[in-house]
Amino acid sequence: MTYQYAESRPSEGRSREKAAEPGGGWIGPAIFILCISLLAFFLGAYVVLAQVPPYKTLTNAHEAALALYAKATQFNDPFKTDLWHDARWEHKGVVTYLGDKTENGYTLYTSSHEASAMLVDMSGKEVHRWYVPPEEIWREDGDGGRPAPGPLVYIRKSYMFPNGDLLALYEGSGDTPWGLGLVKFDKDSNVLWSYLDERAHHALDVGADGSIYLLTHAMRHDAADVPGAIEPPLIEDFLTILSPDGEVKKRFSLFDVVAQSRFKWLYSGLTRTAARDPLHTNSVMEVGAEAGAAMSVARESDLVLSFRNIKLVAVLDPEEGKIVWGTTGPWIGQHSAEPLANGNILLFDNNGNFNGPGGSRVIEFKPETMEIVWQYQGSEKDPLKSVLRSEATRLGNGNTLITESQAGRFLEVTPEGEVVWEYINPVRGGEGNKKIPIVAWARRYTPAEIDPSFGQALGPSFNPS
């Protein structure tokens, strides 16, 4: 675009006089515009601070602008996101393996460097991988939304069936909400079905009857009748129950479930920032027959959930859609609330171990008394530290498999706290290859849990006897 300026020739007398005035007459209008701008600024500040209309419109517009700026400046390089961290060690793969003390089998895990799921044997050798480029999964018109750029999409959690079929839950970094969807593959990474109508996030579980318990979320724009500073728009969590073939059986708002329970007052303790995502539900697990027989606070068909932002671990009756038991505790930013066969609950406490060497720990507590009966926090030389994500699951031999997400490693520890298996993500990136991608989740499968038809393809390490 070009601009043309034409200077008219002044006529005699009066016009010549005006042309000689300094500034050409622009100072007055400039001062007027400046005054109007200052008035608008102070008026806007008053509206927001006094919370008088239209303060919500102004606040939302400001936060939207900040979010767009952050996405444009902070999420164009995956190594600058929380999906990558400084590598603590040069070691890669298995660095500890005490075979006679481990639960031998195969470890399924996911990593933020690629939207894939890997299965490794006890030596750390990759024996199988599931991968489909995300752009081949998401439709342009999909209600679940398009995924973020490739490097920022990864599988948060996966679940392997005995025949090698896999459920994969996708998340993306830099979007709000960040959940993307759920896909089921066969062993050869062919898509069997996908559930992309909702933004699935964090966790899933498969019940004894094959039902799939899925955490989903969406933006809520209507008012919420709860205590505290919670105002729309906010991220609303849902529990969506799918049939084995991916059809919706039931769906209800977990935000409303908590609001209708005796735990609704926990909303009043949220900061304004946390109130934008009031629950941040991050795990769901079916209680199951063994734990249900041992627990006085839950039945086998109930679900145990972790609500990170209100520090609540709760038991939910999925038929009634009601919380039947719950507790807060000495944990902060917790993940992975797992009901155990002995009636206790296993939990990864990300940030509540103030006196520990790394700030994180895994605890096992009795729900009836809140007594902590076991914990693992690492050591001064080798601390457990992960501010975000992470998991812990109890193995069949009594050991505990721990996902230390931020460190990019997995630990199998005995009840006495001895590390008997340790695997460090072998992938590196960033400047000088000094960054390690987070590991989101891991599960150990024994050969007895794998169909021989699939197990034989895993190589000579497969021994079902």
Side-chain angles (χ1 to χ4, degrees):
M1 180 180 295
T2 60
Y3 295 89
Q4 294 182 347
Y5 297 88
E7 183 177 345
S8 60
R9 299 181 64 179
S11 59
E12 297 292 330
R14 183 178 44 132
S15 296
R16 289 181 182 273
E17 220 173 273
K18 281 194 173 183
E21 291 179 2
W26 61 269
I27 295 179
I31 293 175
F32 176 76
I33 293 172
L34 178 61
C35 291
I36 293 295
S37 299
L38 288 173
L39 180 63
F41 172 79
F42 287 116
L43 181 61
Y46 168 76
V47 166
V48 171
L49 293 175
Q51 295 192 355
V52 296
Y55 86 95
K56 284 298 296 178
T57 300
L58 294 176
T59 301
N60 292 342
H62 176 255
E63 292 181 351
L66 290 178
L68 288 173
Y69 177 78
K71 184 173 182 179
T73 59
Q74 300 175 22
F75 295 94
N76 55 359
D77 182 354
F79 302 114
K80 294 181 180 179
T81 70
D82 63 13
L83 300 182
W84 291 77
H85 291 268
D86 293 334
R88 299 182 194 170
W89 310 275
E90 295 181 358
H91 305 299
K92 298 179 180 180
V94 171
V95 296
T96 303
Y97 179 29
L98 305 180
D100 57 336
K101 296 183 179 181
T102 62
E103 175 88 336
N104 288 305
Y106 299 90
T107 303
L108 175 70
Y109 77 93
T110 57
S111 165
S112 65
H113 78 281
E114 183 181 87
S116 60
M118 287 70 68
L119 190 68
V120 298
D121 63 19
M122 296 303 291
S123 70
K125 179 184 177 182
E126 183 179 304
V127 295
H128 199 78
R129 177 183 295 232
W130 295 259
Y131 175 72
V132 172
E135 60 270 18
E136 295 183 12
I137 297 173
W138 269 262
R139 308 179 303 271
E140 287 291 346
D141 59 345
D143 294 333
R146 295 291 297 170
L152 300 182
V153 173
Y154 70 105
I155 296 175
R156 174 63 182 262
K157 193 165 187 177
S158 56
Y159 180 96
M160 187 180 77
F161 294 91
N163 67 349
D165 288 354
L166 188 87
L167 288 173
L169 189 157
Y170 288 81
E171 285 186 353
S173 182
D175 287 322
T176 301
W178 59 91
L180 291 175
L182 181 71
V183 181
K184 186 175 184 180
F185 303 107
D186 66 12
K187 64 180 178 61
D188 299 315
S189 297
N190 297 307
V191 176
L192 299 176
W193 55 260
S194 60
Y195 184 69
L196 310 179
D197 294 337
E198 290 189 85
R199 290 183 173 266
H201 67 98
H202 274 98
L204 68 110
D205 195 24
V206 178
D209 65 351
S211 294
I212 300 167
Y213 300 103
L214 186 65
L215 298 179
T216 60
H217 58 190
M219 295 304 298
R220 177 169 178 157
H221 296 279
D222 61 310
D225 185 18
V226 295
I230 296 179
E231 297 178 336
L234 57 89
I235 297 176
E236 182 175 17
D237 282 340
F238 295 85
L239 176 70
T240 300
I241 304 176
L242 304 178
S243 67
D245 56 359
E247 298 297 323
V248 177
K249 296 169 60 177
K250 182 180 290 189
R251 177 182 183 269
F252 52 84
S253 168
L254 292 172
F255 178 86
D256 289 341
V257 166
V258 174
Q260 295 160 8
S261 76
R262 61 187 181 275
F263 300 102
K264 66 181 180 180
W265 300 107
L266 294 175
Y267 285 137
S268 63
L270 293 173
T271 65
R272 187 175 180 276
T273 300
R276 296 299 192 198
D277 183 14
L279 292 181
H280 200 95
T281 317
N282 58 26
S283 76
V284 55
M285 298 185 191
E286 187 178 65
V287 172
E290 285 188 305
M295 297 179 77
S296 64
V297 300
R299 301 177 301 178
E300 64 176 289
S301 59
D302 290 339
L303 305 174
V304 177
L305 295 105
S306 166
F307 302 104
R308 189 195 76 176
N309 280 2
I310 57 174
K311 297 179 60 179
L312 178 65
V313 173
V315 175
L316 176 78
D317 180 342
E319 291 298 320
E320 297 292 329
K322 294 181 179 180
I323 292 176
V324 297
W325 177 87
T327 185
T328 58
W331 46 74
I332 298 176
Q334 80 284 350
H335 287 75
S336 184
E338 178 179 271
L340 300 178
N342 61 7
N344 296 338
I345 294 176
L346 191 69
L347 192 72
F348 194 103
D349 178 11
N350 291 72
N351 303 300
N353 191 22
F354 296 110
N355 297 317
S360 301
R361 61 179 175 171
V362 175
I363 61 174
E364 177 187 344
F365 69 94
K366 290 182 176 294
E368 296 85 0
T369 65
M370 294 302 296
E371 176 190 3
I372 295 177
V373 299
W374 182 82
Q375 74 170 5
Y376 178 80
Q377 61 181 0
S379 62
E380 292 292 340
K381 183 180 179 181
D382 188 18
L384 196 67
K385 181 179 181 179
S386 189
V387 175
L388 300 173
R389 304 178 184 88
S390 299
E391 304 271 344
T393 186
R394 185 59 47 82
L395 301 177
N397 65 351
N399 291 349
T400 302
L401 181 64
I402 301 170
T403 300
E404 189 183 10
S405 179
Q406 186 173 319
R409 70 167 178 165
F410 309 107
L411 305 169
E412 180 182 347
V413 300
T414 66
E416 296 75 31
E418 181 183 10
V419 177
V420 296
W421 188 79
E422 181 180 5
Y423 179 88
I424 299 175
N425 195 340
V427 178
R428 297 291 186 275
E431 186 177 354
N433 282 329
K434 294 182 178 180
K435 293 283 188 178
I436 189 170
I438 61 105
V439 286
W441 175 85
R443 179 175 170 178
R444 179 72 51 75
Y445 291 85
T446 64
E449 296 177 287
I450 300 174
D451 286 348
S453 59
F454 175 57
Q456 297 299 328
L458 303 181
S461 61
F462 180 72
N463 183 7
S465 60

